[in-house]
Amino acid sequence: MMDKEVNIARAIASLDTSLFRYIESQTTDDDKYSLLAVQRAVRQKAEYVYLEIGSHLGGTLQPHLLDPRCTTIYSIDPRPLIVDDERGEKQKYFDNSTERMMRLLSAVAPDQVQKIRTIDKAAPEIDPQTIDPRADLCFIDGEHTNTAAIADFEFCIKVLAPDGAIIFHDSDLVYKGIRQLLARLRKSDTKHFPLKLGGSVFAIAFGGSPLASATYIRSISKSIHYHFLRSAVRLRLNRHKIKRKLKKRSS
Ligand SMILES: C[S@@+](CC[C@H](N)C(=O)[O-])C[C@H]1O[C@@H](n2cnc3c(N)ncnc32)[C@H](O)[C@@H]1O
């Protein structure tokens, strides 16, 4: 192995978040730590394919771009300038373009950018047959509404390689969608392992995914998934209660 490859392998193995240093990402340090733990598990395969829904500047693509074991990257993003989220807020993405992202990524690893395939569409508009090779790891970080998270997951399932994994960012916003998806998977008897990781990362590993057996993944798993999903519900209820109390007081 060349020195560069050894250094990248070491950085991923030690969950070194400086791998995200070149391009700004919409993630916290805890998120980055979790994302690297997932990458460390997935790269146990000699080669893997990464698919991302919602890339903006390419911040979360960086560690996969740098990783020589990642042979293909799909970046799916219809590039809207304003996006809804589950809080009812409008997120603005200035100068949100594939050209800008590719310029930034080209400066990070000019010898690796050819492995990126960009698709300027929302996932449900894409023919799953065009995703060849299939993805070993899908990351959902597009529109943060339950409806979009479910639609993105449904697309990912169609293009996922056997023993693949799907991860969500901002799981605290789309937990209701995740809960629905987990209920469906249980009902259809699909072998899966839900994992709540640090930050707002939530993973669902399928079949014999290396994520399901990685002990360090379990060790950074903040709480068992159903505790997260339940406490998220409780949090919501509390918020409603507080709002009601405040309303009563002001009336
Ligand atoms: C939070 S940013 C992604 C940040 C990126 N993953 C990072 O941390 O570096 C969300 C991105 O989702 C994109 N987006 C909005 N709606 C989308 C949709 N329906 N499908 C895919 N991407 C979408 C936006 O254009 C924006 O670039």
Side-chain angles (χ1 to χ4, degrees):
M1 250 201 291
M2 287 154 67
D3 281 357
K4 209 164 128 189
E5 284 183 39
V6 174
N7 289 341
I8 286 164
R10 277 201 195 126
I12 298 165
S14 61
L15 310 184
D16 178 354
T17 55
S18 74
L19 285 162
F20 288 88
R21 68 183 175 280
Y22 306 101
I23 302 174
E24 191 192 323
S25 151
Q26 270 75 50
T27 51
T28 63
D29 282 349
D30 279 349
D31 293 330
K32 291 183 178 82
Y33 189 60
S34 297
L35 294 175
L36 287 174
V38 169
Q39 183 173 354
R40 177 177 149 165
V42 172
R43 77 188 304 280
Q44 281 175 31
K45 286 179 86 172
E47 291 187 348
Y48 72 93
V49 173
Y50 176 68
L51 182 146
E52 181 172 282
I53 298 183
S55 294
H56 191 37
L57 302 178
T60 40
L61 292 178
Q62 295 172 88
H64 299 283
L65 179 70
L66 290 164
D67 190 344
R69 291 205 176 177
C70 178
T71 53
T72 307
I73 293 176
Y74 300 100
S75 165
I76 295 173
D77 194 321
R79 302 283 168 186
L81 297 178
I82 299 177
V83 184
D84 287 328
D85 78 16
E86 209 44 65
R87 293 164 296 201
E89 288 176 9
K90 301 266 180 212
Q91 301 299 325
K92 290 187 182 138
Y93 293 99
F94 296 106
D95 196 5
N96 189 17
S97 74
T98 299
E99 293 69 32
R100 182 178 176 206
M101 179 185 86
M102 289 307 288
R103 222 181 309 120
L104 293 167
L105 290 168
S106 300
V108 175
D111 57 331
Q112 294 286 320
V113 279
Q114 84 293 338
K115 70 187 181 190
I116 304 177
R117 301 189 196 172
T118 59
I119 308 174
D120 289 18
K121 286 181 184 173
E125 295 164 15
I126 303 167
D127 176 358
Q129 305 279 1
T130 59
I131 305 298
D132 184 16
R134 283 167 167 248
D136 297 288
L137 177 64
C138 293
F139 180 44
I140 299 178
D141 191 18
E143 182 185 302
H144 296 118
T145 60
N146 292 313
T147 312
I150 290 174
D152 289 342
F153 179 88
E154 282 166 348
F155 172 80
C156 289
I157 279 284
K158 289 182 196 150
V159 301
L160 197 67
D163 303 332
I166 300 176
I167 47 179
F168 296 87
H169 190 229
D170 290 296
S171 58
D172 45 347
L173 285 182
V174 295
Y175 68 90
K176 278 190 182 167
I178 297 176
R179 208 172 44 192
Q180 263 191 49
L181 292 166
L182 291 175
R184 274 195 220 166
L185 291 170
R186 277 195 304 272
K187 211 170 165 190
S188 62
D189 254 341
T190 307
K191 191 177 171 198
H192 68 287
F193 304 88
L195 293 156
K196 170 69 185 84
L197 303 179
S200 65
V201 179
F202 194 98
I204 306 179
F206 292 92
S209 163
L211 230 64
S213 51
T215 46
Y216 51 89
I217 288 275
R218 294 212 180 273
S219 71
I220 66 160
S221 183
K222 289 263 160 102
S223 59
I224 303 171
H225 71 278
Y226 47 78
H227 288 313
F228 159 73
L229 293 173
R230 279 201 195 142
S231 57
V233 175
R234 230 178 284 139
L235 200 75
R236 266 288 159 97
L237 286 176
N238 288 344
R239 262 190 226 148
H240 286 311
K241 266 190 197 166
I242 292 166
K243 268 190 192 168
R244 266 206 306 271
K245 276 189 183 163
L246 287 175
K247 253 192 186 170
K248 267 189 190 166
R249 263 189 217 162
S250 59
S251 59

